[in-house]
Amino acid sequence: MKAKTLLATILALSFGVAQAQEELNSALVFETYEWDFGQIEEADGVVQHTFRFMNISNNPIQIDNVATSCGCTTVLYSTQPVAGGEYGELTVAFDPSRTEGRVLREVEVFTKDRRNYASLMITADVNPIPMGLEQLYPHLLAGNVKTNAKRCNFGYITQGESVTRIVRVANVGDKTAKLSVVTTGNRYGMSVECPESVAPQEIVSIHITYNIGKGKNHFGMARDTVWVVADGVKSQEPIVVNAIRVEKFSDNENKPKPVLRIEPAYVDFGQKAPGKIYKKTIVIGNTGNADLIFRNVEAMEGTAISIETGQVIKPGKELKVTVAITNSNVPRTATLGSINLTTNDPTRPFRELRLQVDTK
C-alpha cells in the first residue's frame, strides 16, 4: 500500500497540468493533456497515442462518453469502472487523410455522472501525398485560380502582437491571371498583401496579417473574409480568416493566476418541443488564486448566457449561470449552439461552451 501511495504521489507531481485539473474538481487526472505527433506523412495512415490517467478520488469512476472535434479522430476506451487511486487509459487515433500542415484536434472526456470532465488535445504537422497542381489546390476561387485552403486560422494572438499567415493560390490554366482581393467583415486590424498577377502553372502567396492593438475591446474571436478576384471575377466563396485575441500573460509561473471552471461544459437539453427557448443553470467558478475576468463573452445566434463581458469572479467563488438555446421548428432536428468565453486564465484563455437541444 505504501508503494502504491508513493507512486501515486510521484505521478501526480509529474503531471504538467494535474493541479489545474484537480482544481476543476475532476477525478480524472491525466499524465499529459496534450500530445504532438510531430511531422507525419499522410501516406503512412493512422497514428495513435495512449493517454494514461489516474482516479484521484475515493470512488470508482466510469468513462461514459467522448466527443471529438473532427471525424478524423477516434477514441478507444474501456467503460469498466476505475477504482479510486487506480489507473486507466484511452487511445486516441488520428487519420491524416486529406489534411495538410498543422492540425489541432480536441477530445473531450465525460464520466457517467457527468461530474468529471477532461479535455485532451492532439497536434500534428501533416506532409501530404505528392499530387499535381490540380489536386494540391482543389478549391476553385475564380477563373483558373485555385487555393489549397479556404480557411486561415491564426490561433491565439496576444495584445500588441502582429502575426502573418500565408494562403497560397495557384493558376492551373495556360494564361496569366491578374489578382486582387476584397475584404469584408469587421477586419479587427487585418491587412492583406496580394500579388498583382499569377503566371500559368505558378503558385503565389497571399499574406494575411493581424495587428492586434492594445485595448479593452480587443479580445475574443476575430472573424474576417478575403475574396480573391481573378481577371475581374470575384471568387464564389471567400477565404475565411479567424484568430483568438487574448492578453499577454506573464512568464512567471509563481504569479497568482485564475483558473476557470465550467460545470458542465457541454449542456444537453434533451428532446424538446419545437420553436421555443429553453434554459438551464450551470456553475462557472474560479478555483485559482487571482481574480477571473471575462474579457469577452460571445453568444452565437440562438443562444444566450447571463455572464457579461467585464464580469469578475473572485478566487474560490462561483456563480450560478443561466444558458439558453432556441430550438428548431423542424421536427427530429438537432440544434447546436456555442458560447465563447475569453478570460484572463493563462492556461486556457478561450473556452467554448457547447449547447444542444433535439426537436421532438
Side-chain angles (χ1 to χ4, degrees):
M1 180 62 72
K2 290 183 177 180
K4 178 185 288 188
T5 303
L6 179 60
L7 177 59
T9 302
I10 294 173
L11 183 58
L13 290 173
S14 67
F15 294 166
V17 290
Q19 182 180 358
Q21 190 66 23
E22 186 174 354
E23 289 172 339
L24 292 175
N25 291 332
S26 176
L28 291 173
V29 177
F30 282 79
E31 291 178 345
T32 178
Y33 293 84
E34 298 181 3
W35 183 260
D36 188 352
F37 288 104
Q39 291 280 346
I40 64 173
E41 303 293 330
E42 180 188 1
D44 292 340
V46 175
V47 293
Q48 62 183 33
H49 174 72
T50 297
F51 289 88
R52 191 164 182 248
F53 65 87
M54 182 172 63
N55 176 4
I56 63 171
S57 72
N58 295 322
N59 302 313
I61 60 172
Q62 179 181 349
I63 295 178
D64 178 61
N65 186 35
V66 296
T68 64
S69 59
C70 177
C72 63
T73 307
T74 57
V75 184
L76 179 65
Y77 61 96
S78 172
T79 57
Q80 294 299 313
V82 177
E86 296 297 330
Y87 305 95
E89 60 185 32
L90 53 83
T91 299
V92 178
F94 167 64
D95 184 354
S97 300
R98 297 177 297 280
T99 60
E100 178 182 358
R102 187 70 171 170
V103 295
L104 299 89
R105 299 291 185 264
E106 185 180 16
V107 176
E108 293 181 294
V109 183
F110 303 91
T111 58
K112 189 173 183 179
D113 56 8
R114 294 276 172 164
R115 290 184 176 275
N116 299 290
Y117 165 83
S119 176
L120 310 175
M121 183 74 70
I122 60 169
T123 57
D125 285 299
V126 182
N127 295 322
I129 297 172
M131 294 181 288
L133 205 60
E134 287 272 8
Q135 292 75 36
L136 287 172
Y137 293 80
H139 306 296
L140 179 64
L141 294 173
N144 290 313
V145 177
K146 304 177 73 176
T147 183
N148 61 345
K150 293 192 294 184
R151 300 188 67 88
C152 182
N153 299 318
F154 277 71
Y156 288 142
I157 301 180
T158 61
Q159 302 291 295
E161 186 178 17
S162 180
V163 180
T164 299
R165 295 283 187 267
I166 292 175
V167 174
R168 291 184 172 84
V169 299
N171 182 357
V172 300
D174 56 6
K175 294 181 179 179
T176 297
K178 293 183 179 179
L179 287 183
S180 61
V181 295
V182 176
T183 60
T184 56
N186 294 330
R187 302 198 60 185
Y188 303 98
M190 184 188 75
S191 61
V192 184
E193 295 182 9
C194 176
E196 294 181 355
S197 64
V198 53
Q201 302 300 306
E202 182 185 18
I203 301 169
V204 296
S205 298
I206 296 175
H207 292 76
I208 302 175
T209 300
Y210 270 121
N211 187 7
I212 306 300
K214 295 181 179 179
K216 64 180 181 180
N217 295 322
H218 295 160
F219 294 100
M221 181 71 75
R223 301 178 183 86
D224 287 293
T225 53
V226 176
W227 303 78
V228 175
V229 180
D231 289 329
V233 178
K234 186 179 177 181
S235 57
Q236 296 181 355
E237 293 183 272
I239 296 169
V240 179
V241 186
N242 59 56
I244 301 172
R245 301 166 299 165
V246 301
E247 64 189 79
K248 185 175 179 61
F249 295 105
S250 171
D251 294 330
N252 183 4
E253 295 183 357
N254 296 321
K255 183 178 179 179
K257 60 183 180 182
V259 177
L260 172 64
R261 178 174 69 91
I262 305 175
E263 186 179 333
Y266 171 78
V267 183
D268 189 349
F269 289 78
Q271 289 191 335
K272 300 293 183 181
K276 295 183 179 181
I277 298 174
Y278 295 95
K279 300 179 180 181
K280 274 194 175 185
T281 299
I282 65 172
V283 174
I284 296 182
N286 176 11
T287 60
N289 52 11
D291 285 355
L292 177 70
I293 306 171
F294 288 86
R295 300 299 191 190
N296 183 267
V297 178
E298 182 184 22
M300 300 296 102
E301 183 178 358
T303 65
I305 188 169
S306 59
I307 279 184
E308 298 180 351
T309 298
Q311 196 158 344
V312 177
I313 300 180
K314 293 294 184 180
K317 301 297 183 179
E318 62 183 29
L319 298 177
K320 290 185 177 180
V321 177
T322 302
V323 294
I325 188 169
T326 302
N327 202 4
S328 170
N329 284 310
V330 181
R332 295 181 296 278
T333 300
T335 300
L336 305 177
S338 64
I339 298 169
N340 296 331
L341 303 175
T342 305
T343 71
N344 63 330
D345 177 350
T347 303
R348 291 187 65 185
F350 181 85
R351 294 285 299 274
E352 180 185 16
L353 176 60
R354 299 179 184 179
L355 313 178
Q356 178 173 339
V357 60
D358 297 318
T359 305
K360 288 184 178 179

